[in-house]
Structures are given as structure tokens and as C-alpha cells.
Amino acid sequence: MGILSSDTFPLLVVLNPHSGKKQGIHVWETVVQPALNHAQKPFRLIESTSQGHVQSYFNDNIKPILTDLVQSLSIVNDPSALSSSIARPSTATLQVMVLGGDGSVHEIVNGILQGVAGTEFVSDQFRPKIEFAIIPTGTGNAISTSIGVTSVQDAVDRFLAGKVVPLRLMTVSTRAKTGQSSTFAAKWDTRLYTVVVNSFGLHCATVYDAEEFRHLGNERFRQAAMKNVENLKQYEGLLELHGPVQTYDRSSKSLGLVGGGSDSLQLRGPFTYLLITKQASLESGFTPTPFASTSDEWMDILAVQNAGQAEIMTMFGGTPNGQHVEQEKVDYFKAKAIELETPSQGRLCVDGEFLTIEGGPEGRVRFEVTLDPNIQIFSIFV
């Protein structure tokens, strides 16, 4: 059986009243809800109460939500039929609208994938499609900015128009231990999934310190960045980009494959600034990875090594229009699998959360755009 329409199933609206400048409720009541009512689009409102609440909600409820979705489309009448390979559809579409920021999307993605892990709710026999409509009421709104959304009304219009593209995920994995011993196996354990950015060095320190300026909205990132530039540090680490790898050539102003597409690449640091991302912009006026695509199978890497204060400020000055990639200290790559190793304990920023990594080969972290169709079930209205 083919893809099922979600027209008769309520749109799940996730409202984060605390994100950004806390305008979510006002935007919902004055713009979004009236538009949905006018379009006769049924919805179910889920309001976030605290950080982590939405992730827990979807972890706990995604299986009954998917069961209700299939039943509502009159495909099965038996509540147990979704666990049967006989009377169920091959796929169904669940639409989720987010009034919040990128952190809310991160929570929903991880909650859904945790909730269906190890079950038949996502399998070769039944694979749902999750379509995101992101209404930009967060602090950075990286995903919305990267796909060119200009306003709340624009985001609503795009949802109603119905065009979607894949929302590719990055896996963040660490070394797996063998049994109860301290020995590490060659395999990797996926810790979480990210949709926006993983960072190390100055960017990670900036996001970490920005919490103390949260009351300033987007301005908090500038304040935290200036604080860290004034006390600029270099961060030791080894970055391995596994082939195929693309690199930006400033002389030809184009991206090209390294070694014809088979070669890997090592950067030994120290790093001043390191981003691994799927989005071109992290906020309006800040486009650190201008060649990134929300929907392709590449991660974009911006690496700055051994830069001083003046060089970092020059780089920041070029980020509104992406011209910083022409600067000597800025290296730009694309890869599909990346590993990062630090000599001592370090910190990563993963979609605004923070992950402590151990030093040495055992503490390596791997980033990858997975091709697993049971993970890449998400898309976004554009």
C-alpha cells in the first residue's frame, strides 16, 4: 500500500512558550491558530513545560500516536494490528508543527527515535513519514533561516502549500565498551541525533557561556562570543574526515573532491573554531557554512586553526554573506563521516546541548549522516 494522507488526522502542534523572546503563545493565538482554523486543519496542541519535556513526551507517546494515525485512516480496526505485518500499510504521514526553536526540533527527533527504537513501529514493513512545519519563534531559528523562511506567516504559508524536502540527521556516536570491561570495541554506540550543528572550541564555549545572557535573546550569543574572543583559547584535537571529502578551493572558488573522492583527510589542530553542521545559517546574519544543505547527505565543516583575535574578528565580519570562506585561516570541507579525538577531556556542543568527551582514542566521537531509512524518516516544509 502507498503513502497515506494525513488530512483526517490532527496536526500535532508543539508550542514552546519559553523559547526565543517568549512570543510563542502570542504568535499561536494571533497568526497560526486562525490560519489553521481557516484552512479547516484539525490540530492537537502540546505545550512544552520545561527543557526535556517534549523529548520525554514523544518518547512515551509516539507508539500510541502512530497507532492512532493508522486507525484514524481506517486502514486497521484492531489496535494490535500495527504490530502485525499482515493488515497494516507500508507507511503513513504524521505532521508536526513546532512553535519554538531548533532545540525543540532536536528534542522531538530524539524523542521519536528513542520511542520507536527496537520496535516494529519503524521497519521495512512499516515506515512512517514525519513532516515538520517549523514556525520560527526560537532564539536562533537555524533551520528556518537556512531554508529561507522570512517570517511566521511565511512559515505557515509553506506548511499549507504542502511541499517538503528531507530533513537529514547527523548521528553522534562514541566508542562502545565490550561487556563489563573497560575495553573498547571497534563498533560505535549512537548517543543522539542532531539536526543543526556540532561544535568544538570557540563556538562551543560561546554557546555554553551564552546561558548567563539568556535574557538578551539573540544578543546573548554576541555577548558570549566577545567574552571568549577577549580570552581566546586554542583547543587541541585531531579531526579525521573520511572519504569522500570535498574541500573549498579559494583560487577556483569552488568545491572539489579530495583525491578523486577516495581520500580521507586529517587536521591535527589546535582548533580555534570548529563547526560540523547541516545548516547554512545558524541565525539571521550569521552564515558560517554557506554551501550546506538541510537535505543532502553531506556534513559541512568549518575549521579555523591557530587564529588570533584579529583573525577571528575578521572571520566573523565575513559570515553575514559567507565571504569568510575566502580568508586564509578558514578551511571549508564537506564529508559524510567524521571523527574527533582530543588529548584530554573536552566539551562538544550538540544542537545547544553539551556532551563531555574523554581524551585519547577511546574517547573519540564519530559524526555521520546516516543512510539508514529507519532513521531518516523526517522531512520539512519548504
Side-chain angles (χ1 to χ4, degrees):
M1 303 180 72
I3 298 175
L4 303 175
S5 170
S6 58
D7 291 344
T8 59
F9 190 76
L11 166 73
L12 301 186
V13 178
V14 179
L15 171 60
N16 183 351
H18 310 290
S19 64
K21 296 181 179 179
K22 301 182 179 181
Q23 76 271 35
I25 293 177
H26 176 74
V27 167
W28 166 247
E29 293 178 344
T30 61
V31 181
V32 182
Q33 185 177 11
L36 296 179
N37 289 339
H38 184 265
Q40 297 183 323
K41 179 66 178 177
F43 59 84
R44 183 193 307 171
L45 185 63
I46 303 161
E47 188 168 334
S48 173
T49 59
S50 61
Q51 185 174 2
H53 170 253
V54 172
Q55 184 164 335
S56 296
Y57 175 87
F58 278 93
N59 186 3
D60 296 340
N61 291 284
I62 188 59
K63 287 183 285 187
I65 287 172
L66 291 176
T67 301
D68 289 347
L69 172 60
V70 172
Q71 288 179 304
S72 74
L73 296 168
S74 303
I75 299 301
V76 293
N77 296 312
D78 180 0
S80 65
L82 192 56
S83 62
S84 166
S85 61
I86 299 174
R88 65 184 179 190
S90 61
T91 190
T93 301
L94 175 68
Q95 294 181 337
V96 182
M97 177 176 283
V98 183
L99 280 84
D102 305 304
S104 298
V105 180
H106 172 87
E107 285 195 22
I108 296 168
V109 164
N110 281 276
I112 288 174
L113 292 176
Q114 289 167 2
V116 299
T119 74
E120 291 188 357
F121 281 82
V122 179
S123 66
D124 290 342
Q125 288 71 44
F126 175 78
R127 187 173 295 126
K129 294 183 179 293
I130 315 295
E131 296 181 343
F132 276 113
I134 304 176
I135 310 301
T137 60
T139 302
N141 303 309
I143 303 174
S144 294
T145 302
S146 294
I147 62 174
V149 172
T150 57
S151 66
V152 166
Q153 186 62 57
D154 183 26
V156 173
D157 292 342
R158 291 177 187 226
F159 166 68
L160 295 175
K163 180 183 177 181
V164 296
V165 297
L167 177 65
R168 300 289 185 186
L169 309 185
M170 296 174 283
T171 60
V172 182
S173 306
T174 54
R175 291 284 191 187
K177 287 187 177 181
T178 57
Q180 299 299 314
S181 72
S182 58
T183 304
F184 287 83
K187 70 183 291 288
W188 298 89
D189 275 344
T190 298
R191 297 283 296 274
L192 72 167
Y193 301 90
T194 60
V195 293
V196 176
V197 64
N198 307 288
S199 70
F200 177 69
L202 175 59
H203 182 270
C204 179
T206 295
V207 178
Y208 187 83
D209 288 342
E211 285 303 303
E212 67 179 282
F213 305 110
R214 178 167 280 276
H215 63 284
L216 298 177
N218 266 13
E219 175 66 14
R220 65 190 174 114
F221 293 112
R222 194 184 74 84
Q223 293 289 342
M226 292 304 99
K227 172 184 174 180
N228 279 278
V229 170
E230 288 175 6
N231 302 282
L232 193 63
K233 298 179 181 178
Q234 309 298 330
Y235 298 79
E236 296 291 341
L238 170 66
L239 190 71
E240 291 187 351
L241 312 180
H242 297 286
V245 177
Q246 298 182 57
T247 184
Y248 181 74
D249 185 298
R250 282 186 284 272
S251 60
S252 65
K253 298 187 183 301
S254 63
L255 288 158
L257 287 169
V258 175
S262 60
D263 288 3
S264 296
L265 195 66
Q266 278 192 349
L267 299 178
R268 292 198 166 271
F271 296 96
T272 316
Y273 197 92
L274 177 63
L275 294 181
I276 300 168
T277 180
K278 284 294 299 151
Q279 309 302 329
S281 298
L282 297 187
E283 61 181 276
S284 179
F286 182 51
T287 307
T289 43
F291 309 118
S293 168
T294 301
S295 302
D296 69 14
E297 297 175 358
W298 296 89
M299 294 174 289
D300 285 45
I301 302 99
L302 183 74
V304 181
Q305 298 174 264
N306 287 313
Q309 290 179 336
E311 291 165 320
I312 282 292
M313 293 305 296
T314 300
M315 184 198 81
F316 284 152
T319 55
N321 56 10
Q323 288 304 302
H324 60 292
V325 300
E326 306 298 337
Q327 296 168 16
E328 183 179 355
K329 280 285 186 176
V330 177
D331 289 316
Y332 195 109
F333 306 95
K334 283 178 175 282
K336 297 183 180 182
I338 302 166
E339 292 177 24
L340 175 65
E341 178 183 322
T342 58
S344 57
Q345 189 178 86
R347 179 190 293 137
L348 292 176
C349 175
V350 287
D351 279 0
E353 296 183 12
F354 300 97
L355 179 67
T356 299
I357 56 174
E358 300 304 320
E362 294 83 5
R364 278 197 172 209
V365 180
R366 183 177 176 89
F367 310 92
E368 193 167 7
V369 179
T370 178
L371 299 180
D372 186 344
N374 295 329
I375 300 298
Q376 297 289 13
I377 60 175
F378 302 92
S379 57
I380 182 172
F381 288 90
V382 293

